[in-house]
Amino acid sequence: MKIVIIGAGVAGLGIGWRLLQQGASVTILERAQAGSGASWAAAGMLAVTAELEDAAEPERALALRASALWPGFAAELEEASGRAVFLNRDGALLLAGGEAHLSVMRARAEGELRLVDAAGAKALVPLLGDTLGGLWSPREAHVDNRALGEALTIAFLKAGGLLYPNEAAVKIEGRSVLTPYGRYDGDAVLVAAGAWSGLLENIPIVPVKGEVIALAPPVGAALPGPVVWGEHVYCVPRHGRLLVGATMEEAGFDTSVTPSGHDQLRASAEKLMPSLKGWALADHWAGLRPKSPDGLPLLGETATPGLFVAGGQYRNGILFTPAIAAEMADVILGKAPVIPAFDPRRFLGDLHE
Ligand code: GLY
């Protein structure tokens, strides 16, 4: 079976890799560079606890399946690519924003999810200022998403996939994709183009911009060990810097960085950890999350036979990667049904209309 995939983010690459492993031939067309969109801009959190507080059950289940797959997926990918992806399972501390939030956290605390008071929180993260405490999720993880994109690219190519960077799809005709340079015929076409998925077909996905800053500690200052969450901010230690994210804004395809984005993120992080005031700004970037109208992913065949979509991962694209790779490969090969809550046809009768 020949599959043409539009988009070399972690979703397209992951699904492509799994398809190749099952004997399909796979070509990926990428408008820019592999792994350069939201896959690059993300903070790489596998935030099953922090991101899914209000999630619908099918999304929570997808997140838990993905989370369970991550250790094996990372090991297999590192072996296949020869590249590390830096899976870190040092946990996450979710700080309460007030008494009401603390009560919600108290109700969530069970099993390994533990409520901690101010002293317990400061024992976990000595940089914290005044705090009410919060929820400690000891196995919450994160991964170097940029390394992940590179590792998936290498694994995909080593497994025999074809990848054409700087080659944007301009039209889908039946089971063929047209670019400025050629026509790619397949038995199936998969749109996995992140926030750009809606430009090509009538796929209801919009970009939600997120700015992230990276702070460098002064000499002698230690990074927090775990990920630290405030109500509208997260702080992720990564390779000697602290990533602080992220703004949320529907601003089309604008990925510029702004002084107000920086100020908002820095102020939120400093409110949690006052000594960050002395930390230098090391980097500042923005990316586009792909969001569907109900905030849930679109995973499956559209109403046009042979045209599939894997999109709408919104805030959890890195977390979902191993589950979407395995499950979408099976859906495309006709080995697994579409999960109804994620069926792309829930929005439109025919995505070509
Ligand atoms: N999951 C982090 C973000 O979307 O900002």
Side-chain angles (χ1 to χ4, degrees):
M1 188 167 181
K2 277 170 65 176
I3 322 287
V4 182
I5 299 179
I6 301 170
V10 293
L13 289 164
I15 297 163
W17 183 40
R18 289 302 190 214
L19 285 167
L20 290 164
Q21 289 173 324
Q22 297 190 61
S25 89
V26 185
T27 299
I28 302 186
L29 306 168
E30 163 57 44
R31 55 183 289 283
Q33 297 296 307
S36 66
S39 302
W40 178 89
M45 286 177 299
L46 315 180
V48 184
T49 310
E51 284 283 11
L52 294 148
E53 188 167 352
D54 303 318
E57 190 44 44
E59 190 179 26
R60 189 185 305 281
L62 175 65
L64 291 175
R65 288 200 301 280
S67 175
L69 288 173
W70 254 106
F73 179 77
E76 183 188 350
L77 181 58
E78 288 181 339
E79 173 74 27
S81 66
R83 299 293 283 265
V85 298
F86 304 97
L87 177 64
N88 174 306
R89 307 183 81 199
D90 287 346
L93 178 62
L94 286 57
L95 294 167
E99 290 297 343
H101 193 195
L102 195 60
S103 301
V104 173
M105 289 178 160
R106 192 169 289 116
R108 287 185 85 192
E110 70 169 330
E112 63 179 25
L113 273 187
R114 191 160 55 81
L115 202 71
V116 289
D117 61 12
K122 284 187 192 180
L124 289 162
V125 179
L127 289 177
L128 289 180
D130 289 341
T131 176
L132 292 172
L135 205 54
W136 170 235
S137 180
R139 286 194 301 154
E140 195 114 329
H142 59 98
V143 67
D144 179 339
N145 42 291
R146 297 178 185 177
L148 173 67
E150 288 177 12
L152 279 169
T153 304
I154 294 167
F156 173 78
L157 292 171
K158 277 188 165 177
L162 291 174
L163 171 63
Y164 296 94
N166 300 317
E167 186 157 352
V170 291
K171 194 168 186 215
I172 299 172
E173 265 182 17
R175 297 175 192 219
S176 301
V177 181
L178 276 60
T179 77
Y181 311 115
R183 177 190 178 95
Y184 298 85
D185 301 320
D187 301 304
V189 172
L190 168 68
V191 180
W196 290 266
S197 298
L199 288 181
L200 204 55
E201 292 292 312
N202 191 15
I203 293 171
I205 288 177
V206 295
V208 179
K209 179 181 175 183
E211 293 184 43
V212 181
I213 58 174
L215 300 178
V219 176
L223 290 160
V227 173
V228 181
W229 281 79
E231 271 191 301
H232 303 292
V233 69
Y234 50 79
C235 303
V236 185
R238 168 89 30 84
H239 303 321
R241 305 189 312 181
L242 189 66
L243 312 189
V244 180
T247 60
M248 293 275 285
E249 185 188 1
E250 291 202 14
F253 290 89
D254 170 30
T255 52
S256 59
V257 296
T258 63
S260 62
H262 164 268
D263 293 351
Q264 177 193 323
L265 294 168
R266 204 182 240 288
S268 304
E270 287 174 3
K271 202 169 149 200
L272 303 178
M273 295 177 271
S275 65
L276 295 183
K277 281 191 180 71
W279 293 33
L281 179 67
D283 206 351
H284 186 184
W285 64 88
L288 301 173
R289 308 172 181 91
K291 183 175 186 294
S292 73
D294 60 8
L296 296 177
L298 281 78
L299 301 172
E301 194 165 18
T302 69
T304 302
L307 177 61
F308 294 79
V309 58
Q313 296 90 333
Y314 194 29
R315 293 181 60 98
N316 291 299
I318 304 298
L319 167 62
F320 292 154
T321 300
I324 287 182
E327 294 174 20
M328 274 304 296
D330 284 352
V331 166
I332 293 168
L333 296 173
K335 295 179 178 174
V338 167
I339 295 170
F342 304 144
D343 191 333
R345 292 169 295 192
R346 68 190 184 276
F347 298 115
L348 297 168
D350 184 341
L351 297 184
H352 272 301
E353 276 171 8

